[in-house]
Amino acid sequence: MSGLESVLVVGTGLIGTSVALALREQGVTVYLADRDAGAVRLARELGAGTEWTAGRSVDLAVIAVPPHVVADRLADLQKAGAARFYTDVASVKALPLRQAADLGCDLTTYIAGHPLAGRERSGPAAARADLFLGRPWALCPTEETSPDAVEALRGLIKLCGGEAVEVEAAEHDRAVAVVSHAPHVAASAVAARLAEAPETALGLAGQGVRDVTRIAAGDPGLWTGILSGNALPVADVLEAVAADLAAAAASLRASADPAAMGRVTELLHRGVAGTGRIPGKHGGPARTYATVQVIIGDRPGELARLFLVAEEAGVNIEDVRLEHAPGLPLGAADLSVQPEAVETLSEALRAHGWQLP
């Protein structure tokens, strides 16, 4: 089909509203629907689109609801003739497809999809038009899916700035169990240890524990639905992780034995190897960056001044991480740059009065 001119977004949470905002920036007419009237109103006030009225038909309907209700929404929308084509953004793919088939949905006009993007915050207020820029967006056509439906979803992904990745539904679910779903449970297990930790321990918390537990702040209700929809693949990954942790614990209890600690070291090496396989920016090969650490005050405009120095020096900051000093109005900014840019950036920062450790 030709370019998308009108899209219906059903479900105005973080992902649905972000899709709507991205499409509005591209000049697409967007209609919004949600069983929560307040969510629709807020999304509309954010400029995400206008409220949909029954009887109106669009080029594509994007179903942005939890996995276990995707098929029901699809059946209702198809019955109403709401769109020429339909997709969803749920993080589980085999379940909606199976349920849609059981409900007798027209699978020729439906293509399952999943943008690999998100935030710890939820709801339309957290939505961003640039949420999907450069991010993978899975599309999972079946034998029944029409080529036009595939083209419609590819058009949506392009408009939102995502990178289309075609994958079979069951393979998708096994993959996200490894890279998303099981890591969330593992992070939650670590974070749960903090719930009853003594104040002394919390007072010593540094960037490491923040990095490991960041994603555990996600909405438990939303994540329960995701995990139940992909239960077996996630359970397989968690059992493998649990086996590694149990072996590490047993080795640590026998730490007087050098062979036991060797097994712990082997696990740490496997962790380094796994981290090194995570793709780099824009889905390219993983890159090893150097870090330039700068002492930065906790004042408005400090980061902007820091980035301006880097711009003037012609150095691209690949990533930045902030760590605040407990009890002090300052912290450290770790700037990730290409190794060959370290000296140039360091000299420029010192010349502008920045303190480098």
Side-chain angles (χ1 to χ4, degrees):
M1 64 176 291
S2 59
L4 297 175
E5 296 182 359
S6 58
V7 171
L8 165 63
V9 175
V10 180
T12 50
L14 167 65
I15 301 299
T17 304
S18 293
V19 168
L21 290 171
L23 293 175
R24 291 292 298 127
E25 286 197 350
Q26 298 299 318
V28 178
T29 299
V30 179
Y31 299 100
L32 308 169
D34 197 303
R35 295 190 174 182
D36 182 347
V40 171
R41 183 167 55 252
L42 178 53
R44 190 178 67 239
E45 291 172 354
L46 292 170
T50 58
E51 191 165 355
W52 181 66
T53 54
R56 187 186 299 275
S57 183
V58 298
D59 294 326
L60 176 69
V62 179
I63 304 170
V65 299
H68 64 281
V69 292
V70 167
D72 286 334
R73 295 291 185 278
L74 174 63
D76 292 341
L77 291 167
Q78 288 187 335
K79 189 177 299 183
R84 295 176 60 193
F85 303 104
Y86 305 83
T87 188
D88 73 289
V89 296
S91 64
V92 175
K93 298 275 67 82
L95 176 68
L97 278 166
R98 183 169 63 252
Q99 292 179 333
D102 291 343
L103 289 174
C105 294
D106 178 6
L107 298 184
T108 65
T109 61
Y110 167 58
I111 175 165
H114 175 212
L116 278 295
R119 304 180 68 187
E120 288 73 58
R121 297 167 57 199
S122 59
R128 291 171 24 184
D130 63 354
L131 187 66
F132 311 106
L133 290 181
R135 300 298 303 161
W137 193 313
L139 60 162
C140 305
T142 65
E143 293 181 357
E144 293 94 338
T145 310
S146 73
D148 284 344
V150 174
E151 185 181 347
L153 179 51
R154 286 188 175 274
L156 174 74
I157 295 170
K158 184 176 181 179
L159 287 168
C160 291
E163 299 292 332
V165 179
E166 190 166 321
V167 61
E168 191 270 331
E171 183 182 359
H172 165 277
D173 289 356
R174 290 191 296 270
V176 294
V178 174
V179 302
S180 176
H181 299 169
H184 190 96
V185 179
S188 297
V190 175
R193 308 280 73 76
L194 304 177
E196 299 178 358
E199 291 299 320
T200 301
L202 298 177
L204 295 174
Q207 193 60 42
V209 73
R210 290 182 173 87
D211 288 346
V212 172
T213 60
R214 178 181 57 82
I215 58 175
D219 178 8
L222 173 65
W223 272 96
T224 298
I226 292 172
L227 295 170
S228 65
N230 200 25
L232 295 182
V234 175
D236 288 342
V237 178
L238 289 178
E239 285 170 352
V241 172
D244 276 342
L245 293 176
S251 295
L252 289 170
R253 292 190 183 281
S255 57
D257 178 3
M261 290 310 297
R263 289 190 288 273
V264 174
T265 303
E266 188 268 338
L267 175 60
L268 297 177
H269 279 296
R270 284 167 51 207
V272 171
T275 301
R277 294 193 65 202
I278 299 174
K281 289 178 17 174
H282 314 302
R287 291 293 304 271
T288 299
Y289 298 117
T291 299
V292 175
Q293 190 174 74
V294 188
I295 302 303
I296 183 170
D298 191 7
R299 296 184 296 272
E302 289 292 272
L303 275 177
R305 291 200 309 115
L306 193 62
F307 292 154
L308 182 59
V309 174
E311 180 183 0
E312 291 175 348
V315 174
N316 185 50
I317 297 177
E318 308 288 346
D319 199 0
V320 61
R321 186 174 70 173
L322 298 176
E323 183 170 2
H324 298 282
L328 296 175
L330 53 82
D334 290 340
L335 309 178
S336 297
V337 299
Q338 298 289 349
E340 60 270 20
V342 170
E343 186 175 349
T344 300
L345 180 58
S346 299
E347 290 179 357
L349 289 168
R350 289 192 180 98
H352 285 76
W354 291 91
Q355 181 182 349
L356 279 63

